[in-house]
């Protein structure tokens, strides 16, 4: 038995002809080499295999390093993200986030929301290092046949808070927008774009001022819109000057940020475009326009601008509050054609446009006149200590008023509106 075991454990010896001195004991080494080579080949093949369904769902959901519970049904664009290990990502084009309800009488019911910019009053008096804003939910009902509209807001505000600040100020939220299936807002002090999830604010990206390379200051974001699957964030559109306008410090507010769904930011120099908008309004330097309400029309492939302030004179901080406008400017995609079309409602010097959105319509609903769009806008009033917020709804491009200026708050200055 011992001899039999010894025979099994002893490797087979091979005699190589012509070399009596070289005996090759290679069975064990050869088998080991084959096993290791095979394992290496399998690892390489596995690394380059396309993801299976579980991998794909994780790539779709694990977007920011945290897991989303589910992927909602949406009008989605799928594509391979360059620089992200070839993972499959989805851009959620669903808008608004909640379904448009068709009522029994044919009217359309929408959920809307507005968000507040409290300026210096945003700092909490009871919680240290905390800054506050408020969101107000509401319902808009639109009759596409008679083109009549009703708007009602809930009595209770939703408090939003954050500890992010710059220079002792923060949470001065200037706009609302739905992008990639999420609700975003932007703080015009820190330049932080937040996702609003219920009453929780989740910082997404920080927008630097100007070209993104000349200063560490946050971007003074004022308007937001979605164009070609990107989020566009704009500022005042006016040169940054001294309080009496006699000195230009920089052109940072004339940049626009173009943001992908992955958070990649491009810094677009719109200085010439803002100059052309000003000229279309019949104003030359040192006169100016201040922009806080702009939207891209996907249907008509054009831009709508409702300037908040307009003046033929030099900028003056103390007089600016009484330079409100009712101007509508319409530009084509590349701003080669810009028109000052109609006036939107009566001119009230202390009221200025601060947000603008277009009513999303189901495909089967067609408006008259053909090609018309319905716009919903916020106007803010800042007259010394008096603060108020108004909503108005009108038809584009003729400016026909469906809902004249209607006060929705004399407590807070709401500056952003969106269909949610």
């Amino acid at each position: 038995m011992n001899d039999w075991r010894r025979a099994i454990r002893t490797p087979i010896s091979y005699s190589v002809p012509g070399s009596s001195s070289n005996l090759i004991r290679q069975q064990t080494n050869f088998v080991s080499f084959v096993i290791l080579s095979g394992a290496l080949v399998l690892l390489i093949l596995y690394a380059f295999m396309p993801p299976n369904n579980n991998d794909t769902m994780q790539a779709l959901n694990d977007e920011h390093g945290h897991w989303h519970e589910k992927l909602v049904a949406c009008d989605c664009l799928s594509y391979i993200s360059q620089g992200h290990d070839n993972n499959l990502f989805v851009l959620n084009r669903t808008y608004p986030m909640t379904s448009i309800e068709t009522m029994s009488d044919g009217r359309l019911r929408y959920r809307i929301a507005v968000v507040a910019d409290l300026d210096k009053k945003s700092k909490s008096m009871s919680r240290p290092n905390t800054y506050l804003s408020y969101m107000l939910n509401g319902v808009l009902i639109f009759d596409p046949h008679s083109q009549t509209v009703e708007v009602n807001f809930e009595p209770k505000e939703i408090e939003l808070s954050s500890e992010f600040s710059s220079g002792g100020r923060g949470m001065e939220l200037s706009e609302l927008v739905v992008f990639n299936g999420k609700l975003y807002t932007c703080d015009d002090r820190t330049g932080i774009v937040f996702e609003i999830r219920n009453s929780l604010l989740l910082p997404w990206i920080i927008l630097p001022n100007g070209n993104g390379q000349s200063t560490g200051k946050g971007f003074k974001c004022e308007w937001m819109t979605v164009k070609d699957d990107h989020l566009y964030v704009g500022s005042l559109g006016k040169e940054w000057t001294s309080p009496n306008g006699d000195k230009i410090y920089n052109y940072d507010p004339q940049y626009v940020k173009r943001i992908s769904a992955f958070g990649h930011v491009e810094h677009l120099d719109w200085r010439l475009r803002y100059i052309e908008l000003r000229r279309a309004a019949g104003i030359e330097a040192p006169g100016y326009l201040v922009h806080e309400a702009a939207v891209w029309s996907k249907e008509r492939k054009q831009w709508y601008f409702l300037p908040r302030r307009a003046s033929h004179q030099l900028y003056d901080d103390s007089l600016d509050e009484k330079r409100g406008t009712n101007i509508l400017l319409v530009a084509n995609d590349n701003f080669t054609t810009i028109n000052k079309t109609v006036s939107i409602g009566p001119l009230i010097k202390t009221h200025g446009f601060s947000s603008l959105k277009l009513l999303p319509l189901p495909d089967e609903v067609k408006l008259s006149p053909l090609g018309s769009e319905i716009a919903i806008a916020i106007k803010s009033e800042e007259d010394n200590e008096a603060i108020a917020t108004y909503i108005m709804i009108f038809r584009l491009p003729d400016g026909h008023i469906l809902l004249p200026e209607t006060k929705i708050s004399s407590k807070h200055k709401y500056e952003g509106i969106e269909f949610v």
Side-chain angles (χ1 to χ4, degrees):
M1 181 64 70
N2 290 335
D3 293 339
W4 177 75
R5 290 176 177 171
R6 190 180 301 110
I8 291 177
R9 294 174 178 173
T10 302
I12 299 175
S13 299
Y14 295 86
S15 178
V16 179
S19 177
S20 58
S21 61
N22 293 328
L23 295 177
I24 304 175
R25 298 170 178 259
Q26 61 182 8
Q27 183 182 37
T28 302
N29 293 339
F30 178 77
V31 171
S32 300
F33 174 78
V34 170
I35 293 173
L36 290 173
S37 299
L40 181 61
V41 171
L42 289 174
L43 286 172
I44 293 173
L45 290 175
Y46 180 81
F48 286 93
M49 284 178 63
N52 59 27
N53 290 337
N54 291 333
D55 294 334
T56 301
M57 287 306 296
Q58 181 164 350
L60 295 178
N61 289 282
D62 192 9
E63 183 180 344
H64 303 294
H66 60 272
W67 183 262
H68 295 271
E69 292 183 357
K70 63 181 179 179
L71 189 68
V72 296
C74 63
D75 172 16
C76 293
L77 170 68
S78 303
Y79 55 98
I80 300 298
S81 168
Q82 299 298 321
H84 290 78
D85 300 325
N86 289 331
N87 282 334
L88 177 65
F89 288 86
V90 165
L91 174 70
N92 188 342
R93 288 175 172 154
T94 303
Y95 182 73
M97 296 188 299
T98 55
S99 299
I100 303 169
E101 177 187 347
T102 302
M103 304 172 70
S104 58
D105 57 3
R107 294 184 298 167
L108 304 174
R109 186 177 186 273
Y110 300 83
R111 285 187 58 200
I112 59 175
V114 291
V115 71
D117 178 356
L118 305 184
D119 296 324
K120 295 179 180 180
K121 295 180 180 179
S122 66
K123 190 168 185 178
S124 173
M125 303 303 293
S126 59
R127 285 179 279 172
N129 304 317
T130 301
Y131 300 83
L132 305 176
S133 181
Y134 296 92
M135 188 167 70
L136 196 59
N137 289 319
V139 171
L140 182 149
I141 298 175
F142 174 66
D143 188 332
H145 303 291
S146 63
Q147 295 192 12
T148 55
V149 65
E150 300 174 20
V151 177
N152 292 289
F153 285 95
E154 298 176 0
K156 186 177 181 180
E157 300 168 319
I158 299 172
E159 183 181 277
L160 306 173
S161 65
S162 169
E163 295 185 4
F164 291 97
S165 65
S166 176
R169 294 175 64 177
M171 283 294 287
E172 299 180 20
L173 306 182
S174 54
E175 185 60 294
L176 275 179
V177 69
V178 170
F179 174 60
N180 193 25
K182 302 177 180 70
L183 180 62
Y184 288 109
T185 186
C186 189
D187 177 8
D188 67 24
R189 296 300 300 184
T190 63
I192 298 176
V193 178
F194 293 94
E195 177 192 347
I196 302 178
R197 192 178 300 175
N198 298 320
S199 60
L200 181 65
L201 262 71
L202 302 174
W204 181 36
I205 54 177
I206 300 176
L207 299 177
N209 213 6
N211 62 9
Q213 300 179 14
S214 59
T215 177
K217 186 177 180 181
F219 187 57
K220 186 171 175 55
C221 42
E222 294 292 349
W223 57 264
M224 306 171 81
T225 190
V226 176
K227 177 182 183 292
D228 301 333
D229 295 326
H230 284 75
L231 176 61
Y232 282 68
V233 182
S235 188
L236 301 171
K238 182 189 79 69
E239 306 89 346
W240 192 257
T241 66
S242 57
N244 62 2
D246 63 344
K247 183 178 180 181
I248 296 177
Y249 292 135
N250 58 63
Y251 301 95
D252 292 346
Q254 294 184 313
Y255 276 83
V256 168
K257 312 299 181 177
R258 184 175 184 262
I259 311 169
S260 74
F262 306 113
H264 176 260
V265 180
E266 299 173 74
H267 311 280
L268 309 179
D269 187 347
W270 270 33
R271 182 180 176 187
L272 295 180
R273 293 186 173 192
Y274 280 122
I275 290 174
E276 291 304 318
L277 285 169
R278 189 192 68 209
R279 287 176 175 169
I283 299 174
E284 293 290 345
Y288 64 92
L289 292 179
V290 170
H291 296 280
E292 294 190 15
V295 69
W296 166 256
S297 169
K298 180 180 177 182
E299 299 301 321
R300 297 180 63 90
K301 308 299 181 188
Q302 59 190 17
W303 292 90
Y304 295 113
F305 287 85
L306 291 171
R308 179 162 183 170
R309 312 280 195 223
S311 175
H312 291 272
Q313 278 74 47
L314 196 68
Y315 177 81
D316 188 306
D317 197 44
S318 61
L319 300 177
D320 188 60
E321 290 181 351
K322 294 181 174 63
R323 290 175 172 176
T325 80
N326 60 349
I327 299 172
L328 171 65
L329 299 172
V330 182
N332 64 352
D333 190 0
N334 55 11
F335 286 72
T336 55
T337 302
I338 305 175
N339 295 310
K340 177 183 175 183
T341 56
V342 295
S343 299
I344 305 299
L347 175 61
I348 304 175
K349 288 289 190 176
T350 57
H351 296 190
F353 289 103
S354 60
S355 187
L356 171 66
K357 295 295 185 297
L358 300 176
L359 186 78
L361 292 171
D363 293 337
E364 66 273 12
V365 175
K366 305 299 179 184
L367 296 180
S368 179
L370 191 63
S372 297
E373 297 187 273
I374 304 300
I376 180 171
I378 287 290
K379 298 191 81 173
S380 301
E381 180 181 20
E382 295 177 272
D383 187 11
N384 295 321
E385 293 299 318
I387 291 177
T389 305
Y390 301 83
I391 189 172
M392 67 182 306
I393 301 173
F394 49 92
R395 189 174 62 205
L396 294 174
D398 61 9
H400 174 71
I401 302 296
L402 277 62
L403 179 70
E405 281 192 38
T406 303
K407 183 181 290 188
I408 61 174
S409 177
S410 56
K411 180 180 178 182
H412 297 314
K413 178 169 60 79
Y414 289 97
E415 289 205 341
I417 191 166
E418 179 60 297
F419 295 92
V420 296

